[in-house]
Amino acid sequence: MPRRLVSSRFIVTIFGALCLASTNATYGQNSAGPQPVALPAPVPAPVDKPYGGTIALSVDLTNVNDRVLNVHETIPVNSDEVTLLYPQWLPGNHAPSNPIAFLAALVVTADGKRISWVRDRVNMWAFHVAVPKGAASLELTFQYLAPVNPQQGRISTKIADLTWNSVLLYPAGYFARRIQFAPELRLPEGWKFATALEVKSQRGNTIQFKDVSLNTLIDSPLYAGVNFRRVDLSPDSDNAVFLDVFADKPEQLEITPQELEYHKNLVIQAQKLFRSRHYEHYDFLFSLSDSVGGKGLEHHQSSEDGTRGNYLIDWPAGIAGRALLAHEYTHSWNGKFRRPADLWTANFNEPMQNDLLWVYEGLTDYYGNVLTARSGLYTPEQARDEFAEIAANFEISPGRTWRSLDDTTNHPIMSFHGILPQSWPSWQRSFDYYPESDLIWLEADVLIRELSNGQKSLDDFARLFFGTDNGSYITVTYTLEDLVKTLNTVQPYDWAGFFRERVYDVAPQVPTNGITRGGYRLVYNDTEPERMKHLDPSRGTTFATSLGFSLKGDGGDKSGAVIGNVWWDSPAFKAGVTPDMKLQAVNDLAFSPANLRAAILAAEKTNTPIKLLLKRDEDFLTISIDYHGGLRYPHLERVQAAPGRLDAILSPVE
Ligand SMILES: [Zn+2]
């Protein structure tokens, strides 16, 4: 999953909840009242043995108007008690984040008779069912109530992202790869679909897929929709890769020959990097939509990708989503085929441990950016801007003075994958194991090139580490020791010490050696970077590196612009600006981003503070910020005396 998409997906009211005193005070006092239910047996641990029989799963996706998915399951049984699990821990989310509260209307029957279920008292994702004598199977019906709010959900009346983990229950006690499913799906009339699953048969709008293990099923989501185009990106007949584009409007599916070439280059450059593949065929499931939220989630043979509707039809404006596909595609090698040992689990309800996410996500983020540049999806300047932005953000984020990068890998679990909001992310730290690792892996790459006199690079490591078992998609796990050993094979060095200092120790210094030894230096000036210039202003405007805050939206509204984030210890922070304020005026002029930029530029030449009129609830506050440092946009500036190793890294491999 890419870091831009991992926060604020869901906005939930958590602080408004009331602690209701029990109104059932007499419960248990009246002998005629309800009797306590006998506590069920604990949830059985998964065992590596086959589950008897195939589970028939039928999902009805036709009610997209209400975003209600109706599910029917037939589960063969051969014991007198079954615990049914709703998947809790989702690969790629690295968190116990599958929302069980969206499951409703669960009814279980056996031999035509309704039987009761009881939810586990500790594990909300587990349901205990006593199986009647002689019953050979359980029939289940339930609903998945997908969010109706378009910013929270991934199903609209034109596009649907069907994640099988939302629409199935499975028996506890078995490895997920040993449970077989026969999936069936009913789509709205006229809808098309794409998935890595193999079709067994299709009758009208009902599709039956070939039997798959639970592992493969959850790893093979399906996109469907009204407007669809399948773009062939295959470089040759034995490397089948497709871009399956679903859009709100048919015109958003148009792809120019140049854009097609960039996307084909991505597949070619990834092949040159890894020299292997771990899929039969690969499908980028890609939604271009302003009606469903963005997404990036990796799978072995596909990825769930989603960005704005203008991605193809307004190429410069689509810059924010440009590195998405390269990131998710890299995960087919790093994350899916090879996975940190602690992140491998036997089923979807065993807890994961995230300690090597700085490799799983961090190295993927690095190669995502590198491949985006090598394929032409980014210009070299845009790729350098990306590294400059990352480094600049850490220079103004002091959370690194108290918390190690390693500890941030716990963030998805602690925050339920970013659902819990943070007031001071630059101090608390959040998903830093993505961008900070970009800088660390860049440094490792530059170091290998330096020490080997240009004979070796991190690409040699990638080939050795991920390029094994060509054609296989059976996960091979790795540990930190494996990583260090392979790096030493490529270039002997104290790699254990290198990572200990940067990842496991508290390391206040921003790791910018990769930039400086790559032939560049981080500079700040008043010129807006090429990459930032094209970002959609409705996504927010940043003054992070100057005054120290960002704004939600473009501030066009007369009621002012909502402060999005205030950087800890920044000039705005020290002056008392907080993220619950709205910016109304700048130097007595109504606020607009242009007015604020002009005020910052003017203050560069005077000693007069910048005066902001802010509003918090009903109160107006005037806050003066004595700041004269200019706009301070970050850039990488070439240092001619040093070898241009960063340029070499970002150049296409011939
Ligand atoms: Zn990722």
Side-chain angles (χ1 to χ4, degrees), residues 416-473:
F416 297 97
H417 202 249
I419 290 174
L420 297 181
Q422 290 181 305
S423 297
W424 307 105
S426 63
W427 180 235
Q428 292 166 279
R429 312 198 84 186
S430 61
F431 295 97
D432 291 10
Y433 55 87
Y434 289 82
E436 193 168 325
S437 304
D438 269 271
L439 300 179
I440 292 169
W441 286 109
L442 172 63
E443 186 178 353
D445 200 347
V446 166
L447 197 55
I448 296 171
R449 287 165 193 257
E450 231 178 68
L451 294 170
S452 67
N453 293 316
Q455 298 303 302
K456 296 280 175 64
S457 73
L458 194 65
D459 293 6
D460 294 285
F461 162 80
R463 209 161 291 145
L464 276 178
F465 204 65
F466 302 109
T468 56
D469 301 356
N470 185 35
S472 166
Y473 43 92

Side-chain angles (χ1 to χ4, degrees), residues 220-260:
S220 311
L222 177 145
Y223 274 23
V226 179
N227 304 306
F228 169 59
R229 167 173 290 190
R230 193 169 209 223
V231 182
D232 190 351
L233 303 179
S234 313
D236 49 64
S237 57
D238 68 343
N239 190 7
V241 181
F242 298 93
L243 188 62
D244 301 302
V245 191
F246 293 84
D248 292 338
K249 300 170 190 162
E251 59 268 29
Q252 291 168 330
L253 301 169
E254 293 301 320
I255 184 166
T256 67
Q258 179 68 78
E259 291 165 0
L260 177 61

Side-chain angles (χ1 to χ4, degrees), residues 1-3 6 92 94 296-298 324 327-328 330-331 334 357 360-362 364-365 433-434:
M1 168 159 286
R3 89 192 113 91
V6 290
H94 325 300
L297 191 62
E298 62 274 19
L324 173 66
H327 179 108
E328 302 309 336
T330 300
H331 270 315
N334 182 23
L357 276 189
Y360 179 122
E361 290 295 2
T364 297
D365 212 50
Y433 55 87
Y434 289 82

Side-chain angles (χ1 to χ4, degrees), residues 546-584:
S546 55
L547 293 176
F549 61 81
S550 62
L551 299 165
K552 289 180 183 169
D554 57 7
D557 185 335
K558 275 195 181 130
S559 66
V562 178
I563 304 276
N565 187 9
V566 178
W567 271 257
W568 192 265
D569 276 349
S570 66
F573 176 89
K574 287 174 179 161
V577 178
T578 56
D580 59 342
M581 292 177 176
K582 270 184 155 187
L583 182 53
Q584 309 273 304

Side-chain angles (χ1 to χ4, degrees), residues 41-157:
V43 177
V47 174
D48 193 2
K49 62 178 182 189
Y51 187 74
T54 299
I55 297 173
L57 170 69
S58 175
V59 178
D60 185 337
L61 184 60
T62 54
N63 188 0
V64 288
N65 183 64
D66 302 325
R67 277 70 144 185
V68 174
L69 279 65
N70 286 293
V71 182
H72 183 266
E73 256 183 295
T74 306
I75 302 182
V77 284
N78 51 18
S79 60
D80 54 6
E81 186 176 331
V82 171
T83 304
L84 299 172
L85 299 173
Y86 191 65
Q88 178 182 12
W89 289 78
L90 299 183
N93 275 9
H94 325 300
S97 55
N98 201 27
I100 181 65
F102 295 175
L103 182 152
L106 175 62
V107 172
V108 183
T109 60
D111 296 326
K113 289 194 193 89
R114 187 164 175 170
I115 52 178
S116 61
W117 52 264
V118 60
R119 194 188 300 260
D120 193 85
R121 295 285 187 256
V122 177
N123 182 346
M124 298 300 111
W125 283 258
F127 300 88
H128 299 279
V129 179
V131 179
K133 264 202 165 27
S137 62
L138 298 178
E139 302 289 327
L140 269 60
T141 57
F142 64 92
Q143 295 172 329
Y144 171 65
L145 307 178
V148 176
N149 182 326
Q151 291 314 309
Q152 297 175 359
R154 295 276 302 152
I155 294 177
S156 75
T157 54

Side-chain angles (χ1 to χ4, degrees), residues 316-380:
I319 187 78
R322 201 67 76 214
L324 173 66
L325 299 180
H327 179 108
E328 302 309 336
Y329 191 39
T330 300
H331 270 315
S332 181
W333 289 268
N334 182 23
K336 303 312 290 189
F337 168 58
R338 295 222 63 178
R339 192 174 312 165
D342 287 346
L343 272 166
W344 185 92
T345 54
N347 69 14
F348 299 95
N349 293 69
E350 292 293 297
M352 295 172 182
Q353 295 172 61
N354 289 349
D355 48 289
L356 283 179
L357 276 189
W358 58 273
V359 188
Y360 179 122
E361 290 295 2
L363 180 59
T364 297
D365 212 50
Y366 175 67
Y367 267 122
N369 283 323
V370 168
L371 288 173
T372 302
R374 287 182 185 172
S375 61
L377 287 160
Y378 267 162
T379 64

